[in-house]
Amino acid sequence: MKQSFFGLLKKIIQTGIGKGRLLMATTGLGIAMLLLLLSIQMHTDFDQLLYNQQNQNESVDFLVINKKITNDMMGQSDKSVFTPQEIADIKKQPFTAAFGFITANQYKVTAAAPGDLHFYTEMFFEAVPDTFIDVKSEDWKWQAGDNTIPIILPNDFLNLYNFGYALSQGLPQISQETIKALPMKITISKGLLTQEFTGRIVGFSDRITSFLVPGSFMEWANGKFGNGVEIAPSRVIIKTKDPSNPVLVKYLEDKGYSTNQDKLKYSKTKVIVQTIVSVIGFFGLILLIFALLVFSMFIQVVIASCKREIQLLVTLGTAPRQLQRYLMRQFVPLYIFTTIISLLFITLLQWKAAAILANMKLSVSSWISPATGGAALLVMVLVYIVNLQSVKRYINEIS
């Protein structure tokens, strides 16, 4: 009797109407699961692109910040410096992982190149804490009495000379190796007080666009040639874990601060990607809810279609729990099949995306993330629990 009932019940499930509803529910579940897994995997990939050490440009973690110069501030240099309150506010921001002052010189600096280069220019020096410098050199040190000043130049400066000034003036272009080997005559003066040094270029920075000297030299020189008054900094440098953080970008805009906008360019991209991921995830959740509703309707129709047989079987002594287990065995393979197909599809997309990004010198894992796999398992368990509750409710109603 039980075997004939189970055979009848299976036949009812596979009728035309039942197949249509079942196909619709399974398709909805599959699409919902795909969208959910896709949004989670996209979020993981974007995090890898931003924070993976293989993708990070070391310089994007450091931002040199200054105030925007407006027409109202022109001629009032005191308005371009940071007050102690403003400095304290920057330090306490959650995006500030480290903070440093950029100390400017308080004296006149000139540089002259030796030989036939006929290079002479007025320039300036700045100093930052060594932990913020991207050039590592054993020569980066100075102490009182040394006549040689180690100097770090910005790469942009050398490029401007080689591809702008030198070509237009008919001067020879200079390689990094050559300019490092050339001693420069550095003259520091303030009023009648003058002293000459030999400048040695020890490296080129991509991080800080300035002429850097060791902090020990800056402190000594400002003490000897300066006015004896400590000047508030007009530029500061911070280390941040995420230069694309929208909170950081909004803070700089609200405060009227400026930095290298190129380093913030990922902020808008991040917001767009997060919005797309959120929309995909939202539609995935909506579809998942509809899929659960359709499954519930399908279960109700199936049970209603064999109501008499169920009541008869219960009257003859069949436990409702046996009927529940039988019905769930009809659905569980669908859950597993849908989950496997969804994971295979996401894995294929991930493998293809990793290959495309690799050609762009960007690195993401070729495999789906544990979060994606965990989400697939969670959805499958959720669908099982919801449908089990539906089966229990409808079986109990008619038995």
Side-chain angles (χ1 to χ4, degrees):
M1 182 63 184
K2 290 182 181 179
Q3 291 299 325
S4 61
F5 167 72
F6 291 142
L8 179 61
L9 188 58
K10 186 174 182 179
K11 188 176 181 180
I12 293 173
I13 293 174
Q14 294 176 347
T15 57
I17 297 177
K19 282 184 178 179
R21 291 178 184 273
L22 183 61
L23 180 61
M24 186 168 57
T26 305
T27 303
L29 177 63
I31 295 175
M33 186 172 288
L34 270 177
L35 292 177
L36 279 176
L37 301 186
L38 187 61
S39 65
I40 294 171
Q41 189 59 47
M42 285 177 63
H43 186 272
T44 304
D45 289 348
F46 194 63
D47 279 349
Q48 286 188 33
L49 289 173
L50 283 179
Y51 307 120
N52 192 318
Q53 290 296 326
Q54 297 180 31
N55 299 321
Q56 278 190 335
N57 182 343
E58 192 180 359
S59 64
V60 301
D61 289 338
F62 296 86
L63 298 176
V64 176
I65 299 174
N66 56 265
K67 293 185 176 180
K68 293 179 182 176
I69 303 299
T70 63
N71 290 338
D72 295 336
M73 297 169 61
M74 292 178 64
Q76 303 179 68
S77 58
D78 57 314
K79 290 188 176 180
S80 64
V81 301
F82 290 94
T83 65
Q85 293 76 17
E86 291 171 334
I87 291 172
D89 190 56
I90 296 175
K91 286 182 178 179
K92 73 179 183 182
Q93 296 303 314
F95 51 74
T96 303
F99 178 91
F101 293 107
I102 296 182
T103 307
N105 61 282
Q106 301 176 13
Y107 42 82
K108 182 178 179 181
V109 181
T110 62
D116 298 330
L117 292 176
H118 305 296
F119 178 80
Y120 172 86
T121 184
E122 292 186 351
M123 60 187 298
F124 64 93
F125 284 151
E126 286 185 314
V128 299
D130 290 350
T131 53
F132 289 88
I133 297 176
D134 54 341
V135 176
K136 307 300 179 187
S137 171
E138 294 181 354
D139 296 328
W140 185 249
K141 55 188 176 183
W142 188 92
Q143 60 183 6
D146 290 350
N147 194 54
T148 300
I149 309 171
I151 301 172
I152 294 176
L153 294 181
N155 260 319
D156 289 342
F157 174 79
L158 185 60
N159 291 334
L160 285 173
Y161 171 81
N162 280 333
F163 303 105
Y165 185 77
L167 291 177
S168 64
Q169 301 298 317
L171 296 174
Q173 294 176 303
I174 308 174
S175 67
Q176 288 191 0
E177 292 72 18
T178 299
I179 200 169
K180 283 182 179 179
L182 292 176
M184 299 180 66
K185 179 183 175 182
I186 302 295
T187 303
I188 293 176
S189 61
K190 184 70 178 280
L192 298 177
L193 189 59
T194 301
Q195 187 168 347
E196 292 185 354
F197 297 88
T198 299
R200 288 283 185 185
I201 309 302
V202 299
F204 296 85
S205 175
D206 289 315
R207 180 180 299 167
I208 303 174
T209 306
S210 185
F211 303 101
L212 298 177
V213 293
S216 56
F217 173 78
M218 183 64 74
E219 182 180 1
W220 172 85
N222 277 346
K224 181 176 181 179
F225 294 90
N227 51 23
V229 178
E230 186 175 352
I231 299 177
S234 58
R235 298 205 302 168
V236 298
I237 183 170
I238 66 169
K239 180 180 180 181
T240 180
K241 295 179 180 178
D242 181 10
S244 66
N245 185 349
V247 176
L248 167 61
V249 178
K250 186 175 186 305
Y251 179 84
L252 296 178
E253 291 177 351
D254 292 345
K255 296 293 183 180
Y257 298 158
S258 174
T259 188
N260 187 341
Q261 294 299 313
D262 192 50
K263 294 182 178 181
L264 306 178
K265 64 183 180 181
Y266 289 112
S267 179
K268 293 182 180 178
T269 304
K270 184 177 181 180
V271 172
I272 293 173
V273 171
Q274 286 179 335
T275 303
I276 294 174
V277 169
S278 299
V279 170
I280 292 175
F282 175 75
F283 279 110
L285 283 174
I286 296 297
L287 281 177
L288 178 61
I289 293 173
F290 275 108
L292 291 175
L293 289 175
V294 173
F295 257 112
S296 180
M297 292 172 58
F298 172 77
I299 290 170
Q300 186 178 13
V301 169
V302 168
I303 294 175
S305 299
C306 51
K307 180 179 178 180
R308 292 182 179 176
E309 287 80 358
I310 292 176
Q311 289 174 333
L312 176 60
L313 208 56
V314 172
T315 303
L316 294 176
T318 304
R321 186 170 297 178
Q322 286 182 282
L323 302 174
Q324 295 166 8
R325 284 201 297 267
Y326 176 80
L327 280 173
M328 289 307 298
R329 281 203 299 271
Q330 309 305 310
F331 301 131
V332 169
L334 287 177
Y335 309 155
I336 297 175
F337 175 77
T338 304
T339 303
I340 291 175
I341 293 298
S342 299
L343 285 175
L344 287 176
F345 188 73
I346 295 294
T347 302
L348 180 63
L349 286 179
Q350 181 67 15
W351 176 79
K352 188 66 178 177
I356 293 174
L357 291 172
N359 291 332
M360 301 177 183
K361 308 299 181 186
L362 296 173
S363 174
V364 296
S365 173
S366 299
W367 296 96
I368 60 174
S369 68
T372 305
L377 181 62
L378 186 63
V379 171
M380 187 172 65
V381 172
L382 175 65
V383 173
Y384 176 82
I385 292 174
V386 171
N387 288 341
L388 179 60
Q389 294 302 317
S390 298
V391 169
K392 283 183 177 179
R393 184 170 72 251
Y394 297 134
I395 290 290
N396 291 334
E397 285 178 357
I398 66 173
S399 59

